[in-house]
Amino acid sequence: MNAVQGIGSTSQEGRFQLLVDAVTDYAIYMLDPQGIVSSWNAGAQRFKGYTQAEILGEHFSRFYTDEDRANDLPRRVLETAAREGKFEAEGWRLRKDGTRFWAHVVIDPIRDSRGTLLGFAKITRDLTERKRDQEALRESEERFRLLVQGVTDYAIYMLDPTGRVTNWNAGAQRIKGYSQDEIVGKHFSEFYTPEDKATELPRRALETAAREGKFEAEGWRLRKDGTRFWASVVIDPIRNEMGELIGFAKITRDITERREAQEALQQAQTALFQSQKMEAVGQLTGGIAHDFNNLLTVIVNSLDLLGRNVQDARGTKLIESALRAADRGAKLTQQLLAFSRRQPLQPALHNPKTLLEGFEAVLRRACGEMIRLQVSMPSRVRSINVDAAQFEAALLNLVVNARDAMPEGGKLTVAVNNTLVSERDGNHSGLKPGPYVSVSVQDTGHGMTPEILSHVFEPFFTTKDVGKGTGLGLSQVYGFVAQTGGHVDVESAPGEGTTITMLLPAEEGEDDPQEEGPLAARPARETAGTVLIVEDEPAVLEVATDLFDSLGYDVLTATDALEALEVLGRGTHIDVLFSDIVMPNGMNGVELSQKARALRPGMKILLASGYPMSALPSEGLGEGVSFISKPYRWAELSDKLRALRSQA
């Protein structure tokens, strides 16, 4: 039995030895109690480089680096294995050729049945490639971490599947104001506004990202200090190799400045469109006013001439009624010209406080009993260079509109203030930077919708009932302020009332002395002379001929500038050239007057137009040239002629 058992045991040990020798991925060998190598397998030879003959009988410390031997690591390793029953570690080891490899080492003590230490079993595995891969991964992760941490323009951070912050970069701290210690572990809904929280936007954002693979949006977010910023947000889900959701990557960018720039551009484009529209409408209304003035010129002067020959009371009354209607028509054209910025202004330096104080009684009467009028002015106000009558008319229009917006009564405030327009504000409103005076009219009425606001300055646009307004009041205000070099602002919302502010260029200085009132109309002296009338409208030409005839002039006529030059070239003595400015055939009245002055240096020139002189070319006219607006009256024409004759 003992012999048989011995044979069986030997056979089993032989098979085990064959198994150990066949392993090539592991170095499996034996050490005696002092650490001398006593066996060596093929795996040990493969990656350590020693043959069995070379290494048997050598101490295993030769596989250790100089640093480890200096620290007496081989001895401590064996002591640990003997004392604790195992030693396991990873570290650098040496091959025969001196190169290093990263080894996973397990050392087990071998004892007999009585517990006597017989030696050690040592298994070593070459993990150099895995170590290299781990190092590469670690370096890559470190580079990525440094990259993410170095980004300051973007908030880049991670969320766990429930939405709690797990890491935080420098950009997130800069944009949102939280340090890493303050925010890690908190739910990302901290950054959302109360309105977004109420609609559960944070939860819906994560659900969308998980379901669709991405969530992307823009919206208001909160900083630590409670201020808001406009954010561009991208949330991506993060999944493991099994496809399980393990969190979210969130990138946020502060694009408040870009949004403000886009809004400013949109406002500028809207303002430009509105300006172009108003300019086009202004051109149209100015042309209508010019043509209407021609018609009124015929009507008014025909009635004037007719009235000189009517004796009965009924006929006189009818003519006077017609003249009053014509006067109202003339005022209507003045409002149209005001909108188109072609009304003749007589600007002078005025203190707006003085103007308002002198006009306050009229404004209070215009408000009526149900409106409480309050006037607010500082003790000192800069002077403005305006036409006083047009300023008062514009202010009255604003007050009347405010009154009509409060049919059941309310409060109306007229406020005057000094203000400065910065370069940025000027770019928005088209004003030059500098000092201005603001005159605002604020009511507590029903307010206006954005749609109505976009049309308030257009001629004939009104929200009043039929027959309760021409729709030209605010048009007149717009035209007056624009022609003065200012700007009109309107702020209104339904149910919140309306504030309209006129910004007028300010000047330092005292008011000019009070101007004298207009001279009373008086007939021209008896005179003899010849006038050349140039007018392309037959009806206007006819009534002008009658007017000059009634003033004692011999009349020559022409229907355009070329015909007038032909008449001037005949040598006939002509005292006055009376010409319309706007004429066909390529030459206007101003150009005609220049050529006429070259032909007849001493001839007086009187130019007429439905447009004001300020809107027409007037360079090079010189002395001896005057201007009269249509519709002109007999008395006004006689005054102009007398003034021309009085010039040297």
Side-chain angles (χ1 to χ4, degrees):
M1 289 291 294
N2 292 336
V4 173
Q5 288 177 347
I7 294 171
S9 175
T10 302
S11 176
Q12 185 177 357
E13 290 176 358
R15 288 195 298 270
F16 180 74
Q17 185 63 47
L18 290 173
L19 173 64
V20 170
D21 289 340
V23 174
T24 59
D25 288 337
Y26 291 83
I28 304 174
Y29 54 98
M30 301 287 291
L31 305 176
D32 68 12
Q34 287 73 41
I36 302 298
V37 178
S38 59
S39 70
W40 195 248
N41 80 328
Q45 181 173 334
R46 184 182 68 82
F47 59 79
K48 295 204 177 187
Y50 296 94
T51 65
Q52 184 170 330
E54 290 174 319
I55 200 63
L56 290 179
E58 299 292 334
H59 199 273
F60 85 112
S61 61
R62 69 165 52 203
F63 309 137
Y64 283 75
T65 63
D66 293 339
E67 308 94 273
D68 288 343
R69 286 201 295 269
N71 292 326
D72 206 15
L73 181 59
R75 178 187 61 79
R76 291 186 288 109
V77 162
L78 296 183
E79 288 179 353
T80 300
R83 182 178 64 253
E84 300 182 5
K86 176 184 278 191
F87 173 83
E88 185 172 5
E90 290 186 6
W92 291 111
R93 297 294 184 268
L94 295 178
R95 294 186 174 93
K96 177 184 176 182
D97 61 6
T99 59
R100 296 187 177 199
F101 67 98
W102 187 259
H104 175 262
V105 177
V106 177
I107 302 177
D108 290 291
I110 301 173
R111 298 180 185 274
D112 62 14
S113 59
R114 294 188 299 274
T116 303
L117 181 67
L118 302 178
F120 299 91
K122 191 169 186 294
I123 302 175
T124 304
R125 188 180 182 189
D126 185 354
L127 299 180
T128 307
E129 290 188 7
R130 192 183 75 176
K131 173 70 172 176
R132 188 180 298 115
D133 292 342
Q134 289 175 339
E135 286 292 324
L137 177 61
R138 187 189 63 78
E139 290 176 2
S140 176
E141 289 175 345
E142 180 65 15
R143 286 195 297 270
F144 182 74
R145 186 187 67 80
L146 293 173
L147 171 64
V148 170
Q149 285 298 325
V151 172
T152 58
D153 288 339
Y154 291 81
I156 304 174
Y157 54 98
M158 305 284 290
L159 306 175
D160 67 15
T162 66
R164 296 193 177 278
V165 179
T166 59
N167 58 37
W168 197 245
N169 81 324
Q173 181 168 339
R174 185 187 70 82
I175 293 172
K176 303 201 176 189
Y178 295 92
S179 68
Q180 181 165 320
D181 293 339
E182 291 174 316
I183 200 62
V184 169
K186 293 187 177 180
H187 200 270
F188 85 113
S189 59
E190 292 266 347
F191 315 132
Y192 284 73
T193 64
E195 309 93 88
D196 288 342
K197 287 180 182 178
T199 61
E200 295 190 326
L201 179 58
R203 176 185 61 79
R204 292 186 288 110
L206 295 187
E207 288 179 353
T208 300
R211 182 179 63 252
E212 300 180 6
K214 176 180 283 191
F215 172 83
E216 187 169 3
E218 292 184 4
W220 290 112
R221 295 294 183 270
L222 296 179
R223 294 186 174 93
K224 178 184 174 182
D225 60 9
T227 58
R228 298 189 175 200
F229 67 98
W230 190 257
S232 171
V233 177
V234 178
I235 303 177
D236 289 292
I238 301 174
R239 300 183 184 276
N240 61 18
E241 296 177 354
M242 304 298 292
E244 298 170 337
L245 182 68
I246 59 174
F248 298 90
K250 192 167 186 295
I251 301 176
T252 302
R253 187 180 186 191
D254 182 355
I255 57 171
T256 308
E257 291 185 2
R258 189 183 77 181
R259 183 172 189 266
E260 290 174 348
Q262 289 173 340
E263 289 179 344
L265 176 61
Q266 185 176 2
Q267 290 174 355
Q269 290 172 337
T270 302
L272 176 60
F273 171 75
Q274 182 71 5
S275 174
Q276 291 172 335
K277 180 179 72 173
M278 298 296 277
E279 185 66 26
V281 175
Q283 294 285 346
L284 175 63
T285 54
I288 292 173
H290 172 266
D291 293 342
F292 193 38
N293 273 336
N294 278 339
L295 299 176
L296 287 175
T297 300
V298 176
I299 294 170
V300 168
N301 288 288
S302 295
L303 290 170
D304 270 345
L305 294 172
L306 184 61
R308 295 174 180 275
N309 299 318
V310 174
Q311 303 297 327
D312 61 291
R314 184 173 181 276
T316 301
K317 185 176 180 180
L318 290 173
I319 291 174
E320 289 175 350
S321 296
L323 284 171
R324 284 195 296 271
D327 285 338
R328 286 197 295 272
K331 291 179 180 178
L332 181 64
T333 62
Q334 288 303 311
Q335 287 181 303
L336 289 172
L337 288 171
F339 170 75
S340 63
R341 289 170 279 174
R342 291 176 175 175
Q343 63 177 343
L345 297 180
Q346 296 178 344
L349 201 61
H350 294 281
N351 188 308
K353 185 176 179 181
T354 304
L355 290 177
L356 187 53
E357 288 172 346
F359 198 56
E360 185 176 347
V362 176
L363 299 180
R364 291 193 181 278
R365 285 195 298 271
C367 286
E369 297 180 355
M370 298 180 66
I371 305 297
R372 301 189 313 278
L373 175 64
Q374 178 179 339
V375 178
S376 172
M377 291 184 289
S379 58
R380 295 180 63 84
V381 186
R382 295 188 182 95
S383 297
I384 52 177
N385 197 29
V386 295
D387 184 311
Q390 293 294 339
F391 173 82
E392 291 173 348
L395 187 56
L396 182 59
N397 275 324
L398 294 180
V399 168
V400 169
N401 271 354
R403 177 203 67 192
D404 292 344
M406 299 181 287
E408 298 178 0
K411 181 181 177 182
L412 193 155
T413 303
V414 178
V416 179
N417 283 292
N418 295 314
T419 186
L420 287 174
V421 173
S422 66
E423 185 171 352
R424 178 179 178 181
D425 294 335
N427 290 337
H428 172 65
S429 60
L431 294 175
K432 295 180 179 179
Y436 285 77
V437 170
S438 68
V439 182
S440 63
V441 176
Q442 181 180 19
D443 65 59
T444 57
H446 45 67
M448 293 180 282
T449 64
E451 173 64 20
I452 293 176
L453 274 176
S454 65
H455 297 286
V456 290
F457 293 124
E458 295 177 7
F460 306 112
F461 177 81
T462 180
T463 58
K464 299 176 183 178
D465 295 336
V466 177
K468 293 189 177 181
T470 63
L472 290 172
L474 289 180
S475 300
Q476 184 270 337
V477 173
Y478 173 85
F480 160 70
V481 174
Q483 194 170 358
T484 306
H487 180 72
V488 186
D489 278 328
V490 185
E491 295 181 5
S492 186
E496 298 182 9
T498 300
T499 301
I500 299 182
T501 302
M502 298 186 292
L503 282 173
L504 303 169
E507 299 184 28
E508 298 292 345
E510 300 298 327
D511 290 351
D512 283 351
Q514 293 293 320
E515 301 174 5
E516 297 180 1
L519 296 174
R522 52 190 180 276
R525 298 194 305 265
E526 292 294 331
T527 182
T530 300
V531 61
L532 171 58
I533 302 174
V534 187
E535 174 61 61
D536 61 297
E537 288 284 343
V540 179
L541 179 60
E542 183 179 352
V543 75
T545 300
D546 289 341
L547 283 173
F548 275 93
D549 182 68
S550 70
L551 291 170
Y553 280 86
D554 296 325
V555 178
L556 301 174
T557 63
T559 58
D560 59 34
L562 296 178
E563 186 179 345
L565 290 174
E566 184 180 342
V567 173
L568 290 170
R570 294 174 186 167
T572 304
H573 177 75
I574 298 174
D575 298 284
V576 179
L577 171 65
F578 180 67
S579 174
D580 189 15
I581 290 183
V582 180
M583 290 188 297
N585 299 330
M587 185 183 297
N588 60 39
V590 174
E591 294 168 333
L592 171 62
S593 67
Q594 293 169 338
K595 292 183 179 296
R597 176 55 55 84
L599 292 172
R600 306 285 183 97
M603 183 176 60
K604 305 301 181 184
I605 299 173
L606 182 59
L607 301 176
S609 178
Y611 294 120
M613 193 64 174
S614 60
L616 299 166
S618 57
E619 295 182 2
L621 292 180
E623 296 182 358
V625 179
S626 187
F627 174 81
I628 189 169
S629 294
K630 294 179 180 180
Y632 44 79
R633 304 288 291 272
W634 183 89
E636 184 184 5
L637 183 61
S638 67
D639 281 346
K640 290 287 185 180
L641 292 170
R642 183 172 58 255
L644 276 173
R645 287 197 305 270
S646 67
Q647 296 179 9

